[in-house]
């Protein structure tokens, strides 16, 4: 009996073994999926080839995404994380770029894009060297464009364009102009010579030209830009005449010097206008300078002159011709508000007048140049440094170290940028 039970057990176990090892169970084997090979990565465009540190960068192209492999982005050889990646666009949020040329590439598995190069500048002060060692008279910058316009000592206006390799200069084909130059935006501007002025609304591709009758007549003696907005501009001369346009030079109004300036039989009383501007206090225009009237005042013939106009080019009212000038003080005054006028003495003392040139108060010593951004925010050169005040000279903060022996010719402002122009290629751009 025991032998029969043992035999049955062996048969059952054997049958179970055969059943479990059979391929006839109907179950399928699991197969390893095949991964899709990355396609060639192509970059077609970027949102900018000249980046300010802190700006986003968008990269457009194709095959930026593969379902089986991650997309890797390398900036200057260091892997970074994208804000957004789609198959045809990558967005980098404020990438940590270095000043100068940066290189970016995209990689998926063993497939890489062609390296992309772009230029970057930092927030704060940046040194510009595109104009070499030229004497830079003035520059213009804008918030909505990275383009810079500058006038150099040869009288040649330059357009500095932001490219992937940095700033590149282009000469504007309008000849040499030994005068004043200012662009209101990337397209609209005005440039002057002794007796010529060009207005443009397309960056001097076309121009509207005005020529004064004669460079040596009393009506004209060097044209300076006194006021400018999108379409209107007022040019003034040291003898108190103006040229006005309200349509970028298509039509102009020419205003001769004041009648009282010509004297008897057309004999001219010497008038030197050193400052022209629109006051924030009353929205009226002012001319400030010096008159020489020996017939009326004898040996004490030099007097201050303050003239006021509602238009800036007509109906001038003489506010004062009585107060004595300060002989050791510049009459190239600076003002935003006519109730606070600044000047610099020959002893490099910054002074202010709050009574239209009659009396003066000392603000700061060792000042060689002053530039006004607002009524209360001023920049000065003191030695080889720039300083700024934001409270009308009560307190001063260090702003920028300059090379030894520097001379600042001009500081221009937009809402978020400052540009310094000066001798021997002195050129600094601040991004705020």
């Amino acid at each position: 009996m025991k032998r029969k039970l043992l035999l049955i057990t062996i048969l059952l176990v054997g049958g179970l073994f055969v059943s479990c090892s059979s391929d006839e169970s109907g179950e399928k084997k699991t197969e390893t999926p095949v991964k899709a090979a990355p396609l060639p990565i192509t970059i077609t465009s970027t949102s900018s080839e000249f980046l300010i540190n802190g700006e986003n960068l968008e990269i457009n192209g194709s095959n930026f995404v593969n379902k089986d492999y991650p997309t890797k982005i390398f900036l200057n050889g260091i892997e970074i994380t994208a804000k957004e990646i789609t198959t045809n666009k990558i967005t980098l949020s404020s990438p940590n770029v270095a000043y100068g040329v940066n290189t970016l590439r995209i990689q998926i598995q063993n497939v890489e894009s062609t390296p992309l190069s772009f230029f970057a500048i930092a927030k704060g002060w940046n040194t510009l060297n595109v104009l070499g060692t030229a004497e830079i008279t003035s520059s213009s910058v804008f918030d909505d464009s990275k383009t810079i316009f500058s006038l150099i000592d040869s009288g040649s206006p330059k357009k500095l364009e932001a490219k992937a390799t940095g700033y590149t200069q282009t000469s504007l084909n309008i000849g040499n102009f030994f005068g004043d130059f200012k662009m209101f935006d990337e397209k609209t501007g005005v440039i002057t010579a002794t007796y010529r002025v060009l207005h443009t609304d397309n960056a001097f591709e076309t121009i509207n030209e005005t020529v004064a009758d004669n460079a040596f007549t009393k009506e004209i003696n060097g044209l300076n830009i006194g006021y400018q907005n999108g379409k209107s501009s007022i040019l003034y001369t040291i003898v108190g005449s103006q040229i006005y346009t309200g349509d970028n030079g298509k039509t102009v109004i020419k205003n001769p010097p004041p009648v009282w300036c010509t004297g008897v039989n057309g004999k001219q009383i010497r008038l030197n206008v050193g400052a022209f501007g629109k006051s924030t206090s009353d929205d009226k225009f002012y001319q400030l300078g010096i008159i020489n009237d020996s017939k009326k005042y004898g040996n004490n013939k030099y007097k201050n002159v303050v003239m006021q106009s509602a238009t800036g080019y007509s109906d001038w009212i003489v506010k004062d011709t009585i107060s004595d000038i300060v002989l050791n003080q510049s009459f190239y005054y600076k003002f935003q508000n006519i109730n606070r006028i600044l000047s610099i003495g020959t002893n490099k003392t910054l002074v202010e007048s709050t009574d239209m040139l009659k009396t003066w108060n000392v603000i700061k010593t060792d000042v060689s140049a002053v530039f006004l951004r607002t009524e209360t925010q001023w920049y000065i050169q003191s030695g080889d440094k720039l300083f700024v005040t934001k409270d009308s000279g009560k307190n001063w903060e260090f702003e920028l170290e300059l090379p030894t022996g520097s001379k600042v010719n001009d500081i221009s402002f937009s809402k978020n940028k400052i540009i310094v122009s000066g001798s021997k290629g002195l050129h600094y751009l601040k991004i705020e």
Side-chain angles (χ1 to χ4, degrees):
M1 185 66 179
K2 291 181 179 180
R3 292 181 65 185
K4 289 183 179 180
L5 290 173
L6 179 61
L7 180 61
I8 292 170
T9 301
I10 293 171
L11 290 173
L12 289 171
V13 174
L16 181 62
F17 175 78
V18 172
S19 175
C20 290
S21 63
S22 173
D23 286 336
E24 297 177 359
S25 64
E27 295 182 5
K28 296 182 178 180
K29 292 182 177 180
T30 301
E31 296 182 359
T32 303
V34 177
K35 294 185 177 182
L39 297 173
I41 303 169
T42 303
I43 298 174
T44 57
S45 66
T46 61
S47 58
S48 177
E49 61 178 4
F50 191 104
L51 203 68
I52 297 173
N53 202 348
E55 291 181 328
N56 291 348
L57 180 65
E58 289 187 359
I59 307 162
N60 302 301
S62 59
N63 303 322
F64 292 162
V65 173
N66 180 284
K67 67 182 183 65
D68 295 318
Y69 298 102
T71 301
K72 297 183 177 182
I73 304 163
F74 294 89
L75 178 62
N76 300 324
I78 300 173
E79 186 174 357
I80 61 174
T81 302
K83 177 182 179 181
E84 179 186 6
I85 301 178
T86 66
T87 188
N88 55 13
K89 185 174 79 170
I90 294 174
T91 302
L92 304 179
S93 178
S94 302
N96 187 23
V97 292
Y99 177 85
V101 177
N102 290 253
T103 302
L104 184 143
R105 63 182 175 87
I106 303 167
Q107 180 178 332
I108 301 177
Q109 191 61 358
N110 58 349
V111 176
E112 294 184 359
S113 69
T114 300
L116 165 72
S117 294
F118 63 91
F119 200 87
I121 57 176
K123 290 287 185 71
W125 286 104
N126 296 271
T127 303
L128 306 179
N129 52 25
V130 63
L131 292 176
T133 59
E135 180 92 7
I136 305 170
T137 304
S138 65
S139 299
S140 299
V141 289
F142 324 103
D143 290 318
D144 58 354
S145 169
K146 297 183 176 76
T147 302
I148 297 171
F149 289 87
S150 295
L151 186 67
I152 62 176
D153 56 356
S154 63
S156 177
K158 303 290 184 181
K159 180 180 180 181
L160 310 183
E161 295 182 284
K163 300 293 187 181
T165 54
Y167 275 109
T168 301
Q169 65 166 301
T170 303
S171 295
L172 301 174
N173 295 320
I174 53 177
N176 289 344
F177 278 74
F178 297 92
D180 213 352
F181 180 37
K182 185 174 179 60
M183 297 294 290
F184 177 77
D185 55 33
E186 195 173 1
K187 298 292 184 182
T188 311
V190 57
I191 190 167
T192 75
T194 303
Y195 60 98
R196 295 174 60 206
V197 54
L198 305 183
H199 289 90
T200 184
D201 58 7
N202 55 16
F204 296 100
E205 291 182 15
T206 59
I207 58 172
N208 295 310
E209 181 175 10
T210 301
V211 179
D213 295 338
N214 190 304
F216 303 100
T217 64
K218 63 179 180 297
E219 284 85 3
I220 213 75
N221 194 348
L223 289 166
N224 305 291
I225 301 169
Y227 175 78
Q228 182 188 35
N229 61 23
K231 290 185 177 180
S232 301
S233 69
I234 302 174
L235 310 177
Y236 73 96
T237 72
I238 65 171
V239 293
S241 56
Q242 299 89 38
I243 294 177
Y244 165 80
T245 179
D247 53 13
N248 278 318
K250 296 180 179 65
T251 59
V252 300
I253 295 174
K254 182 182 173 185
N255 185 45
V259 174
W260 54 265
C261 199
T262 58
V264 180
N265 299 323
K267 184 178 180 181
Q268 183 178 332
I269 298 173
R270 187 182 302 276
L271 170 65
N272 288 318
V273 175
F276 184 105
K278 191 175 187 180
S279 174
T280 55
S281 62
D282 56 10
D283 240 16
K284 292 183 178 180
F285 292 89
Y286 288 85
Q287 294 187 88
L288 311 176
I290 298 172
I291 60 170
N292 171 358
D293 193 347
S294 57
K295 182 177 180 180
K296 185 174 183 179
Y297 295 108
N299 292 332
N300 190 20
K301 59 185 179 179
Y302 294 106
K303 300 292 182 180
N304 293 312
V305 60
V306 178
M307 294 178 284
Q308 181 194 80
S309 166
T311 65
Y313 59 89
S314 63
D315 302 321
W316 288 97
I317 300 170
V318 178
K319 302 290 287 186
D320 175 55
T321 57
I322 300 173
S323 58
D324 293 333
I325 68 166
V326 180
L327 292 175
N328 63 346
Q329 187 173 293
S330 171
F331 72 97
Y332 292 103
Y333 307 111
K334 301 287 181 72
F335 70 92
Q336 294 268 347
N337 183 332
I338 195 62
N339 299 315
R340 173 173 275 131
I341 302 167
L342 300 181
S343 179
I344 298 176
T346 54
N347 59 352
K348 294 186 177 181
T349 300
L350 178 65
V351 295
E352 71 168 355
S353 173
T354 57
D355 55 9
M356 294 193 187
L357 310 181
K358 294 181 180 65
T359 59
W360 296 90
N361 302 310
V362 174
I363 298 293
K364 188 173 175 57
T365 58
D366 193 24
V367 177
S368 55
V370 59
F371 306 90
L372 310 188
R373 189 175 195 176
T374 67
E375 285 187 37
T376 57
Q377 187 173 353
W378 317 331
Y379 288 75
I380 61 168
Q381 180 181 0
S382 179
D384 293 322
K385 295 179 174 62
L386 285 185
F387 293 89
V388 61
T389 178
K390 299 176 183 177
D391 54 12
S392 303
K394 294 181 179 66
N395 298 282
W396 296 89
E397 301 171 14
F398 171 75
E399 184 71 22
L400 179 66
E401 187 77 33
L402 303 172
T404 302
S406 291
K407 179 179 179 293
V408 176
N409 293 324
D410 177 67
I411 302 180
S412 297
F413 310 94
S414 67
K415 184 177 179 180
N416 299 309
K417 296 177 183 177
I418 305 172
I419 190 162
V420 176
S421 304
S423 60
K424 300 178 181 179
L426 189 74
H427 218 195
Y428 291 93
L429 174 65
K430 184 180 184 181
I431 311 294
E432 296 181 316

